[in-house]
Amino acid sequence: MLENIRVVLVNTSHPGNIGGAARAMKNMGLSRLVLVDPLDFPSHEANARASGADDVLASAQVVATLEEALVGTTVVLGTSARDRRIPWPLLDPRECGAKSIEEAARGGEIALVFGREHAGLTNEELQRCHFHVHIPSNPDFSSLNLGAAVQVLAYEVRMAWLAAEGQASKTEKVEVASVKSAELATSDEMERFYDHLEQSLVDIGFLDPQSPRHLMARLRRLYGRSSVNRAEMNILRGILTETQKAARGELHKRKD
Amino acid sequence: MLENIRVVLVNTSHPGNIGGAARAMKNMGLSRLVLVDPLDFPSHEANARASGADDVLASAQVVATLEEALVGTTVVLGTSARDRRIPWPLLDPRECGAKSIEEAARGGEIALVFGREHAGLTNEELQRCHFHVHIPSNPDFSSLNLGAAVQVLAYEVRMAWLAAEGQASKTEKVEVASVKSAELATSDEMERFYDHLEQSLVDIGFLDPQSPRHLMARLRRLYGRSSVNRAEMNILRGILTETQKAARGELHKRKD
């Protein structure tokens, strides 16, 4: 699906930004770069900033007009500052990612279009886009670096793609599950731990059974919310056992 | 809320990346930058890449160690490659944004920690983090530019902030106030606790300094995810103090 998504950079001035965009694309699994009338390309600076995404630069298509860049596309999304005189369907980056993957999933061809470093896209260019995408930013400092803007949209495309693939939910859950569910200490193991903890605290003189002052309640609250797993429980129980030996003076005796 | 969130860059080699990070931060409304032992800073290159975010660079705090950078923090999130030997709570950038804003909303102090350009964070540094954050990326080309990584996390922080601001205007957020983060133990208090814990475990013979076997890492993971508050911290420290007395045989002597 990701191969159906092209990144189009219009009239880029700084080759370093082309390299930065290429790197961001490849990091997120995108490979199709189209450059509309770039000021300086190919360039050593672009390759330096691409840091290994040279293949994206090598296969980049250089064209003279936005029209050529958009040949074959079914959905065109153009980045835009928030307020434009002509009202247009406006998406945030997350919606842009979802829209791109939705369209790619049914075989469409998608273009993500980025404007000039300082001037963005012209109104005419924006009118070629089906949707405008605004990256939410500090109103007092709203202009993102071009590579950074490509990074944000490419990231949201990848997040949407992972969600669609079902990978996001599967892999994340497997990792979390490997730490959690099956290996969590059970309620009765927790109860045995609290008994052991209470006895140990009495042994070292920290807990006075005549005047317990909610101490165990506070410790239950702490460990109770920590989702203690079995390996951790074994460690905690081991510490208590050694603490009790210390309290009985066994360490002291051994040392003598 | 955004002023409660600091960006920490560890041992950055290229000043251009510091500038890129500063620009990305300011674009997303973040302003607090902390640099741990940067190779080259201040630098013209950093200012050039900051493109107007010079105020973020000018107010950046330069410190010698990660520990100093984390003073006062209540939640520390560290960027990480996916697979590490010791399992750790792993968030994606979206979850990282939500976690940061949730914590900031109750008055906490959050650090987003980024490692070296090529080597990332060390395992020791990663163990100082309560959560690891993995930016989903192409497995064959997974290393993002540092500024781009800051951009992605700062973007997700802003998205979560905008969502929270939207909700805040709708509903009263009284519940959150009941768990004031002012009451949470800070990172430096947690570090002192870990030092005390480690020493106590050595004292009772549970931890062999010659063969530590990830014991402290596992205990850091347990307590790190538990949002220990000050009252609980006092209890835990008190238990350790009494445990050490027991290990020194002082209880035993008193009883004799």
Side-chain angles (χ1 to χ4, degrees):
Chain A
M1 273 193 277
L2 295 177
E3 64 278 9
N4 293 23
I5 301 173
R6 68 186 80 172
V7 169
V8 178
L9 306 184
V10 178
N11 277 175
T12 310
S13 301
H14 300 294
N17 287 332
I18 297 176
R23 179 174 180 179
M25 287 171 60
K26 189 170 178 181
N27 280 144
M28 297 295 117
L30 298 178
S31 55
R32 290 177 58 196
L33 176 60
V34 185
L35 304 171
V36 178
D37 192 21
L39 193 71
D40 181 8
F41 185 84
S43 133
H44 287 301
E45 206 181 330
N47 284 83
R49 283 279 289 283
S51 292
D54 305 74
D55 51 337
V56 174
L57 294 178
S59 63
Q61 192 187 348
V62 179
V63 298
T65 65
L66 178 58
E67 204 159 4
E68 290 171 75
L70 299 182
V71 168
T73 54
T74 53
V75 168
V76 179
L77 302 117
T79 53
S80 160
R82 188 186 292 270
D83 29 36
R84 292 277 171 179
R85 271 174 303 174
I86 306 166
W88 216 262
L90 187 67
L91 307 181
D92 69 23
R94 194 159 300 162
E95 294 165 328
C96 169
K99 172 69 70 181
S100 300
I101 291 301
E102 184 189 307
E103 182 69 13
R106 56 182 182 212
E109 287 282 329
I110 298 93
L112 306 178
V113 185
F114 298 80
R116 296 149 194 86
E117 281 94 340
H118 294 293
L121 294 169
T122 65
N123 280 338
E124 196 191 338
E125 287 160 350
L126 279 166
Q127 288 175 20
R128 299 256 166 143
C129 301
H130 302 107
F131 299 91
H132 293 171
V133 183
H134 176 69
I135 299 177
S137 55
N138 178 355
D140 299 328
F141 190 72
S142 61
S143 175
L144 272 71
N145 165 264
L146 180 57
V150 171
Q151 180 67 67
V152 170
L153 262 53
Y155 158 75
E156 284 289 12
V157 164
R158 189 171 188 85
M159 289 291 274
W161 177 69
L162 288 170
E165 295 282 291
Q167 283 185 12
S169 53
K170 268 185 235 157
T171 56
E172 298 302 320
K173 274 178 190 158
V174 167
E175 281 176 25
V176 174
S178 69
V179 186
K180 281 189 179 170
S181 60
E183 297 175 6
L184 281 189
T186 61
S187 296
D188 43 305
E189 287 167 339
M190 290 303 288
E191 286 307 313
R192 288 199 291 273
F193 164 67
Y194 293 132
D195 286 346
H196 195 175
L197 177 60
E198 184 169 12
Q199 189 54 54
S200 302
L201 295 180
V202 170
D203 290 355
I204 63 172
F206 189 75
L207 173 62
D208 177 1
Q210 303 307 313
S211 169
R213 288 171 310 153
H214 304 304
L215 182 62
M216 286 310 299
R218 285 172 182 273
L219 288 167
R220 276 175 178 270
R221 187 164 160 270
L222 167 59
Y223 290 103
R225 67 170 184 265
S226 305
S227 301
V228 179
N229 66 41
R230 290 233 160 96
E232 292 163 345
M233 179 52 70
N234 286 336
I235 293 172
L236 294 173
R237 293 292 294 270
I239 292 173
L240 294 178
T241 298
E242 292 307 309
T243 300
Q244 288 185 303
K245 284 186 195 166
R248 286 195 301 267
E250 291 179 16
L251 292 183
H252 192 59
K253 280 176 191 165
R254 271 199 308 237
K255 278 180 193 161
D256 288 344
Chain B
M1 270 195 277
L2 295 177
E3 64 277 10
N4 293 24
I5 301 173
R6 67 186 80 171
V7 168
V8 178
L9 306 184
V10 178
N11 277 176
T12 310
S13 301
H14 302 295
N17 286 332
I18 298 176
R23 178 174 182 180
M25 287 171 61
K26 189 170 179 182
N27 280 144
M28 297 295 118
L30 298 177
S31 54
R32 291 176 58 195
L33 177 62
V34 185
L35 303 170
V36 178
D37 193 20
L39 192 72
D40 181 7
F41 184 84
S43 135
H44 288 299
E45 205 182 329
N47 285 83
R49 283 279 289 282
S51 292
D54 305 74
D55 53 337
V56 175
L57 293 178
S59 64
Q61 192 188 348
V62 179
V63 298
T65 65
L66 177 59
E67 203 158 5
E68 291 171 73
L70 299 183
V71 167
T73 54
T74 54
V75 168
V76 180
L77 302 118
T79 52
S80 162
R82 189 186 289 269
D83 30 37
R84 295 274 169 180
R85 268 176 308 172
I86 302 167
W88 215 265
L90 186 67
L91 307 181
D92 69 24
R94 193 159 303 162
E95 293 165 328
C96 169
K99 172 70 70 182
S100 301
I101 292 300
E102 182 190 309
E103 182 68 11
R106 57 181 188 204
E109 287 282 329
I110 298 92
L112 306 177
V113 185
F114 298 82
R116 298 150 192 85
E117 280 93 340
H118 294 294
L121 295 168
T122 64
N123 280 337
E124 195 190 340
E125 288 161 349
L126 280 167
Q127 286 177 18
R128 298 260 164 141
C129 301
H130 303 108
F131 299 91
H132 293 171
V133 184
H134 176 70
I135 300 177
S137 55
N138 177 355
D140 298 328
F141 190 72
S142 60
S143 173
L144 272 71
N145 166 264
L146 180 57
V150 171
Q151 179 66 67
V152 169
L153 262 53
Y155 157 75
E156 284 289 11
V157 164
R158 187 169 188 85
M159 289 291 273
W161 177 69
L162 289 170
E165 293 285 289
Q167 283 177 11
S169 59
K170 281 180 218 152
T171 57
E172 298 295 320
K173 289 197 151 189
V174 183
E175 288 173 34
V176 180
S178 67
V179 197
K180 271 266 188 268
S181 248
E183 298 170 8
L184 283 186
T186 61
S187 292
D188 38 310
E189 288 168 337
M190 290 301 289
E191 286 306 315
R192 290 196 291 272
F193 164 66
Y194 293 131
D195 285 345
H196 195 176
L197 177 60
E198 185 168 12
Q199 189 53 53
S200 304
L201 296 180
V202 171
D203 290 355
I204 63 171
F206 189 74
L207 174 61
D208 177 1
Q210 303 308 313
S211 167
R213 286 172 310 154
H214 302 304
L215 183 62
M216 287 310 300
R218 286 171 182 275
L219 288 167
R220 277 174 177 272
R221 183 163 165 271
L222 167 60
Y223 290 102
R225 69 172 185 261
S226 304
S227 301
V228 178
N229 67 39
R230 290 236 159 94
E232 292 164 344
M233 179 52 68
N234 287 336
I235 293 172
L236 293 174
R237 293 293 293 269
I239 293 173
L240 294 178
T241 298
E242 292 307 310
T243 300
Q244 289 185 302
K245 284 186 193 167
R248 288 196 299 266
E250 291 180 16
L251 292 181
H252 191 59
K253 280 175 190 163
R254 272 199 307 238
K255 277 178 190 162
D256 289 344

